[in-house]
Amino acid sequence: MRSQIVSTVLRTAARPSLATRSARPTAFALRAASGHAQESFESFSERYVEFFKNAEDLFEVQRGLNNCFAHDLVPSPAVVEAAVRAARRVNDYATAIRVFEGVKEKVENKSQYEAYVQELKPLREELGLVLKEELYSS
């Protein structure tokens, strides 16, 4: 019994008290606003065209598409072309078609999507891509 009392007293003495804990100053992490300038649409397009030209495997292509489509803008036709070529280069037909489906979701209206489809028609014919609209036309 005496040993229990001694061990309890020693544990209590070794433990800092509640008053001591609350007296410690608390450091707050402050985030400063980002000092980066906004990226222009042209530099965005150039960056992703270069990225897709250098993509070596399917993971890189899909990661680039995910990052590209996460921005609050519709990628330029040059970016779409580079992405489709990269998808076909890594031999992934489905990802090449999904690039067009991503554009369809990003544009504001159907006429904008049709403009993309018409502008990229030579590319689709060259790579043998058939869009979902062409397969299931009603």
Side-chain angles (χ1 to χ4, degrees):
M1 171 114 164
R2 184 177 168 112
S3 64
Q4 287 179 338
I5 293 172
V6 171
S7 67
T8 305
V9 169
L10 289 176
R11 270 185 286 165
T12 310
R15 216 180 296 153
S17 70
L18 184 60
T20 314
R21 278 190 232 162
S22 62
R24 291 181 190 158
T26 306
F28 292 102
L30 297 176
R31 279 183 69 171
S34 175
H36 298 289
Q38 286 285 5
E39 184 177 29
S40 69
F41 183 72
E42 290 77 22
S43 64
F44 172 86
S45 296
E46 289 174 19
R47 180 167 58 108
Y48 277 101
V49 166
E50 283 304 311
F51 178 86
F52 288 121
K53 282 183 180 178
N54 297 323
E56 295 179 0
D57 62 1
L58 180 60
F59 176 78
E60 281 188 70
V61 173
Q62 290 177 340
R63 181 175 59 101
L65 286 169
N66 189 32
N67 292 338
C68 180
F69 279 93
H71 291 274
D72 192 24
L73 52 82
V74 182
S76 69
V79 173
V80 174
E81 179 179 353
V84 170
R85 287 190 185 278
R88 293 302 286 148
R89 186 174 59 248
V90 298
N91 199 25
D92 192 20
Y93 184 86
T95 299
I97 297 299
R98 287 188 187 109
V99 171
F100 285 96
E101 292 177 8
V103 170
K104 187 176 184 178
E105 290 296 319
K106 292 290 280 188
V107 295
E108 292 180 1
N109 54 48
K110 192 173 182 174
S111 64
Q112 289 177 340
Y113 176 66
E114 291 299 325
Y116 271 88
V117 169
Q118 286 302 330
E119 185 169 343
L120 297 169
K121 187 173 183 172
L123 172 72
R124 291 186 302 114
E125 290 173 351
E126 175 188 339
L127 299 177
L129 300 176
V130 181
L131 299 179
K132 190 166 62 171
E133 296 85 19
E134 296 168 344
L135 285 175
Y136 303 111
S137 61
S138 48

